[in-house]
Amino acid sequence: MGGDLDPRVLRGIGKGGKDVMSNFRQYNIMDKCGGLIINDNSKLTVWRDGELFDAIIGDPPYGVRAGAKKVGKRVKKNKEPKPIPEDCLEPHIPQCIPYAMEDVLVDLVQFAAKTLLVGGRLVYWLPTTVEYKESDVPLHPCLKLLSNSEQHLAGKFRRRLITMEKTCTFDDNIHNIDMREYNRQQYAPAHS
């Protein structure tokens, strides 16, 4: 199953008539594709509760070119939002606002903690620079960091392939945490 916030990305046609599904056709794995969905990863409540996936593989937007976006309303000073006319409601591409990279990653890790099967893997590219710190990788108590490999790009830019494994079932009473505070504690020096 694949997803993106922008429906144009999901149905887009690239060079030579290639689209997202051409990758599945090329490797003769069309039967493995669960489909494509328009999805805002900042809205985790659209998914049913429970463990759904064996693996989540992602390449989050880096913000270098287009920047990450999520559904939301832009705030205009001294202006009330205009209602959407009835005849324009379907289909509707919602307004988007910037989505900070830290928030993208925190939401991805939380999504994995909630929806991966125990033993499932989260694998994603983390955009970094030469100023990378271990604390740039968001952690969650349900996930164990297995691998963190750097790939050099142009100039000071790097990206890291992060692999995490889900080690326990998500319990709302225990694991529904403030990820920023949890990560501050996890990366705090052992002695001050």
Side-chain angles (χ1 to χ4, degrees), residues 5 26 39 42 54 113 122 140 173 180:
L5 178 61
Q26 177 182 350
N39 174 33
S42 72
D54 294 313
L122 168 63
H140 191 281
N173 297 318
R180 284 169 188 74

Side-chain angles (χ1 to χ4, degrees), residues 53-69:
F53 304 112
D54 294 313
I56 297 171
I57 302 168
D59 189 6
Y62 298 157
V64 175
R65 284 176 280 156
K69 302 277 187 207

Side-chain angles (χ1 to χ4, degrees), residues 57-64 100-106 108-109 122-139 145 147-153 156-164 187:
I57 302 168
D59 189 6
Y62 298 157
V64 175
M101 191 61 192
E102 180 184 3
D103 295 335
V104 171
L105 296 173
V106 164
L108 177 63
V109 170
L122 168 63
V123 180
Y124 68 95
W125 284 110
L126 172 69
T128 65
T129 65
V130 293
E131 287 90 30
Y132 165 79
K133 306 177 297 306
E134 272 188 34
S135 60
D136 292 342
V137 179
L139 302 175
L145 181 65
S147 176
N148 179 342
S149 306
E150 182 180 70
Q151 179 185 29
H152 292 261
L153 303 173
K156 67 178 183 171
F157 296 104
R158 311 283 189 270
R159 66 181 185 173
R160 303 185 82 81
L161 187 61
I162 306 298
T163 304
M164 302 175 104
Y187 287 114

